[in-house]
């Protein structure tokens, strides 16, 4: 087998240069490296290859170029990009109609409710974690949104091929510290885009062009929708006053 390979490939080499395969390549990777090196020789100028200045070191360099090139590709593409958590702030969220988010325990849903005086204790406070994006998108910041005092986080994934918003319990919060862009955990991430002073939209990373939104009627469930839906997609996100106080 080795002699037949040598004979076949030697016919393809530049005139005056022979190729001898001392043993059969044991893997397809070895065959590919050999073919790449041979092609480099074929495409090189004949004079340098056949001149007296062409030595074993030159041939070795050509062989190694393909190996180094292959190694570089593996280095760049081997590990998937990651979202890395940077910091966390406590905040309150109201929609463009000044309705607060309220947790409905019986259905494990968030509702947008116009609270009356003295009912502020019903609104939820969110712990918003911000992330460094592996490939930054202009004017957006990836965030994860958890309900303060619980292990519940907002997530978006498809049910029956339609993106839906959920509250999911995360028992190991360290699992949200680093999130692979190719993992199912991206369902917990949203792109926060600021459109005005403290005014932002929240688009799902898992389901692009689907936004956290509230209904036109009061006390309805918070869902995700597309831009064309008759729902409110802008939110006033304010850092909680307790966090703004400086230590004495």
């Amino acid at each position: 087998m080795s002699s037949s390979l040598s004979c076949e490939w030697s016919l393809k080499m530049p005139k005056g240069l022979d190729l001898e395969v001392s043993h059969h390549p044991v893997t397809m990777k070895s065959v590919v490296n050999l073919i790449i090196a041979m092609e480099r020789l074929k495409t090189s100028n004949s004079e340098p290859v056949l001149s007296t200045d062409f030595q074993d070191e030159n041939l070795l360099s050509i062989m190694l170029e393909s190996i180094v090139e292959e190694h570089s590709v593996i280095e760049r593409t081997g590990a998937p990009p990651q979202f890395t958590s940077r910091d966390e702030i406590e905040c309150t969220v109201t929609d463009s109609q000044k309705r607060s988010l309220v947790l409905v325990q019986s259905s494990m849903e968030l509702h947008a409710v116009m609270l009356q005086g003295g009912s502020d204790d019903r609104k939820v406070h969110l712990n918003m974690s911000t992330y460094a994006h592996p490939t930054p998108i202009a004017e957006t910041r990836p965030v994860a949104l958890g309900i303060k005092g619980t292990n519940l986080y907002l997530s978006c994934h498809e049910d029956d091929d339609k993106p839906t918003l959920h509250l999911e319990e995360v028992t190991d919060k360290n699992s949200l510290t680093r999130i692979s862009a190719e993992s199912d955990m991206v369902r917990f991430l949203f792109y926060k885009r600021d459109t005005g002073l403290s005014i932002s939209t929240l688009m799902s990373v898992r389901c692009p062009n689907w936004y956290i939104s509230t209904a036109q009627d009061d006390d309805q469930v918070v869902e995700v929708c597309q831009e064309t839906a008759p729902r409110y997609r802008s939110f006033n996100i304010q850092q909680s006053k307790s966090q703004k106080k400086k230590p004495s």
Side-chain angles (χ1 to χ4, degrees):
M1 178 67 74
S2 296
S3 59
S4 62
L5 280 172
S6 299
C7 180
E8 180 181 348
W9 284 341
S10 291
L11 294 175
K12 302 178 182 180
M13 298 299 290
K15 184 178 179 181
L17 193 63
D18 292 327
L19 174 68
E20 181 179 347
V21 182
S22 59
H23 65 278
H24 190 277
V26 294
T27 64
M28 182 58 68
K29 179 179 175 181
S30 301
V31 174
V32 171
N33 279 331
L34 185 57
I35 293 174
I36 292 174
M38 187 183 70
E39 289 297 323
R40 289 184 184 278
L41 282 171
K42 287 172 60 180
T43 55
S44 62
N45 295 328
S46 298
E47 290 184 5
V49 172
L50 298 178
S51 69
T52 55
D53 294 333
F54 189 82
Q55 300 178 359
D56 290 346
E57 289 79 3
N58 302 105
L59 180 60
L60 180 61
S61 295
I62 292 174
M63 298 290 288
L64 287 176
E65 278 181 12
S66 61
I67 298 174
V68 171
E69 183 178 273
E70 175 199 18
H71 178 72
S72 299
V73 172
I74 293 174
E75 284 284 331
R76 288 193 296 268
T77 62
Q82 287 188 328
F83 295 88
T84 305
S85 177
R86 292 303 188 198
D87 52 28
E88 180 182 279
I89 62 170
E90 180 187 331
C91 57
T92 58
V93 178
T94 55
D95 69 2
S96 58
Q97 304 304 298
K98 303 186 183 304
R99 295 178 298 188
S100 300
L101 302 186
V102 172
L103 175 62
V104 180
Q105 294 279 1
S106 58
S107 58
M108 291 302 291
E109 296 174 339
L110 284 178
H111 284 208
V113 180
M114 184 68 72
L115 295 177
Q116 303 300 320
S119 303
D120 275 0
D121 58 335
R122 293 183 58 199
K123 67 182 178 183
V124 300
H125 288 241
L126 297 181
N127 291 326
M128 182 172 68
S129 302
T130 60
Y131 289 76
H133 197 299
T135 53
I137 299 176
E139 301 177 356
T140 64
R141 172 68 66 87
V143 298
L145 302 167
I147 297 179
K148 180 185 176 183
T150 73
N151 291 327
L152 298 175
Y153 282 79
L154 277 75
S155 70
C156 179
H157 55 83
E158 292 186 354
D159 283 343
D160 297 327
D161 296 327
K162 181 183 178 181
T164 53
L165 190 67
H166 302 265
L167 284 177
E168 287 191 53
E169 185 174 14
V170 179
T171 54
D172 180 14
K173 294 185 179 181
N174 288 329
S175 64
L176 298 176
T177 302
R178 290 179 179 272
I179 298 178
S180 169
E182 298 179 2
S183 77
D184 188 52
M185 295 295 286
V186 295
R187 68 185 186 276
F188 291 105
L189 297 179
F190 298 85
Y191 286 125
K192 177 177 175 286
R193 180 187 293 273
D194 297 332
T195 58
L197 184 61
S198 300
I199 305 299
S200 307
T201 59
L202 296 162
M203 183 183 76
S204 169
V205 173
R206 175 72 176 272
C207 304
N209 299 319
W210 286 82
Y211 297 82
I212 296 178
S213 65
T214 59
Q216 294 182 348
D217 295 331
D218 190 41
D219 200 2
Q220 298 297 310
V221 65
V222 178
E223 298 177 341
V224 288
C225 74
Q226 294 183 297
E227 291 188 49
T228 55
R231 296 176 62 86
Y232 301 109
R233 297 181 296 107
S234 295
F235 294 92
N236 188 316
I237 302 176
Q238 294 280 355
Q239 186 173 347
S240 295
K241 293 180 181 179
S242 59
Q243 285 202 335
K244 293 182 179 179
K245 294 180 180 178
K246 296 182 180 180
S248 55

